[in-house]
Amino acid sequence: MSEDALRTHLAGAVTSACHCWIIARNDGVREGYTDHDRALNLEDVDCLPEAGFSASEARERLGLGVDTTDIEGALSSSRIDETAIDAGAYDGARVEMWLVNWRKPQERMLLRAAQIGKITRADGRFVAELVSAKHVLDKPMGRFIRRQCDANLGDERCRVDLNHPAYHARGAVTAMTGQTSIRVSGLDGFTEGWFDHGWLSFENGQRLFVVAHVRGTEGVIITFRADARLTAETGEAFRIAAGCDKRFSSCKTKFANALNFQGFPHLPGNDAAYGYVSGTGHAVFDGSPLVP
């Protein structure tokens, strides 16, 4: 067995061990990296000695608590690029961590298997949180009782038809107005703010969340999140879909979808209860809906 051979090797006076990481991305691509100084083939994957990953201290505890390990790497590998990260190829990807005898790669041991969780960027490098399989036990089950809708616009619970002409449009970039904003054409027929909280997709596959859709003095401006990696060029075409702020009033007036609203807008909250007790509240508890 390869694990028994590796244990025998590690028990010797001189060892030749290194670590390897194999990533199974969401798009079916498998990548390999190693902290050794030359490439190693492991599980039919070439593990490259590029600055792909360097692992922090692993934390493994007994019980059902969620364990995490941070893996960090500069975006210097030709196979790790920001476009793939932005496209979600690494979201939830499976990562295997191996201990390998680099003289005899067949002598190896799987140390840990985990999934990539949150990915953050700082100073030209990325830090990915690896979560163990126990992280599924940390997810809330059931629904939260809250005023805002907890469905995603257009899903089976929401039932809004996003293919309706009123809820999507096509346009083109006319100018870059900032690091995270563009001036566009093709949206003149839509009310300002109509595409707030929506998604804009370019033909190259980049998909960005729309923070604001406003009419400027020189045309329509679309603004994205501060961490957006905008790679658009003048003249590039896009498709944009309307967004929802999860409020009952928007569901009712913007989408005419009040019957499918997946929240509890008429449920009194703590603010109403405290206002009633202190005498400063303006709510009238006569059985009428709090949100018309």
Side-chain angles (χ1 to χ4, degrees):
M1 296 294 291
S2 60
E3 291 188 8
D4 294 336
L6 180 62
R7 290 190 179 94
T8 301
H9 170 72
L10 295 176
V14 178
T15 62
S16 53
C18 67
H19 293 91
C20 293
W21 295 269
I22 295 178
I23 309 171
R25 292 174 17 177
N26 292 330
D27 54 6
V29 176
R30 299 181 72 199
E31 299 177 353
Y33 300 92
T34 179
D35 56 10
H36 188 45
D37 58 3
R38 63 181 176 88
L40 300 173
N41 186 274
L42 194 70
E43 299 289 309
D44 294 327
V45 177
D46 290 329
C47 298
L48 305 180
E50 302 180 44
F53 288 102
S54 61
S56 68
E57 177 186 0
R59 299 179 293 275
E60 191 74 31
R61 297 171 294 182
L62 295 175
L64 299 179
V66 177
D67 300 308
T68 61
T69 301
D70 294 328
I71 57 175
E72 178 179 335
L75 292 174
S76 60
S77 170
S78 60
R79 294 194 296 171
I80 298 182
D81 60 87
E82 295 186 72
T83 302
I85 293 177
D86 289 334
Y90 292 93
D91 295 346
R94 176 182 170 85
V95 180
E96 296 178 350
M97 289 158 280
W98 294 81
L99 183 64
V100 182
N101 178 358
W102 53 265
R103 293 183 181 275
K104 298 179 180 180
Q106 67 273 16
E107 297 179 3
R108 58 183 181 266
M109 177 186 300
L110 179 63
L111 297 178
R112 195 165 184 256
Q115 286 183 314
I116 292 181
K118 181 180 179 181
I119 299 177
T120 57
R121 296 185 186 88
D123 301 327
R125 58 189 175 87
F126 73 90
V127 177
E129 179 188 49
L130 289 184
V131 294
S132 66
K134 293 181 290 187
H135 80 283
V136 296
L137 301 176
D138 198 37
K139 293 182 178 179
M141 303 299 291
R143 296 182 61 188
F144 287 104
I145 305 300
R146 56 188 179 187
R147 291 182 180 177
Q148 290 188 323
C149 181
D150 60 4
N152 293 320
L153 182 63
D155 67 10
E156 294 181 355
R157 298 169 62 214
C158 171
R159 300 184 183 180
V160 169
D161 183 11
L162 292 179
N163 291 320
H164 191 283
Y167 302 137
H168 71 88
R170 294 187 180 275
V173 179
T174 58
M176 298 289 296
T177 58
Q179 295 288 338
T180 57
S181 61
I182 54 177
R183 185 184 302 120
V184 302
S185 62
L187 305 184
D188 294 335
F190 293 88
T191 307
E192 179 177 282
W194 188 257
F195 294 103
D196 288 2
H197 311 290
W199 291 91
L200 186 147
S201 302
F202 291 104
E203 292 183 345
N204 62 7
Q206 187 179 28
R207 186 169 182 261
L208 299 173
F209 182 79
V210 176
V211 173
H213 158 219
V214 300
R215 287 179 175 273
T217 57
E218 299 181 359
V220 177
I221 304 295
I222 300 295
T223 303
F224 307 104
R225 288 173 175 163
D227 61 349
R229 302 289 176 172
L230 186 58
T231 59
E233 298 180 357
T234 301
E236 188 168 356
F238 63 82
R239 183 184 189 275
I240 190 170
C244 180
D245 59 8
K246 307 293 186 180
R247 296 187 302 170
F248 180 71
S249 58
S250 299
C251 185
K252 183 177 181 180
T253 59
K254 184 175 181 177
F255 300 102
N257 194 43
L259 292 178
N260 294 318
F261 186 74
Q262 300 298 319
F264 304 86
H266 308 306
L267 185 69
N270 291 337
D271 51 348
Y274 293 151
Y276 179 81
V277 173
S278 64
T280 59
H282 301 289
V284 177
F285 296 95
D286 59 357
S288 60
L290 296 180
V291 179

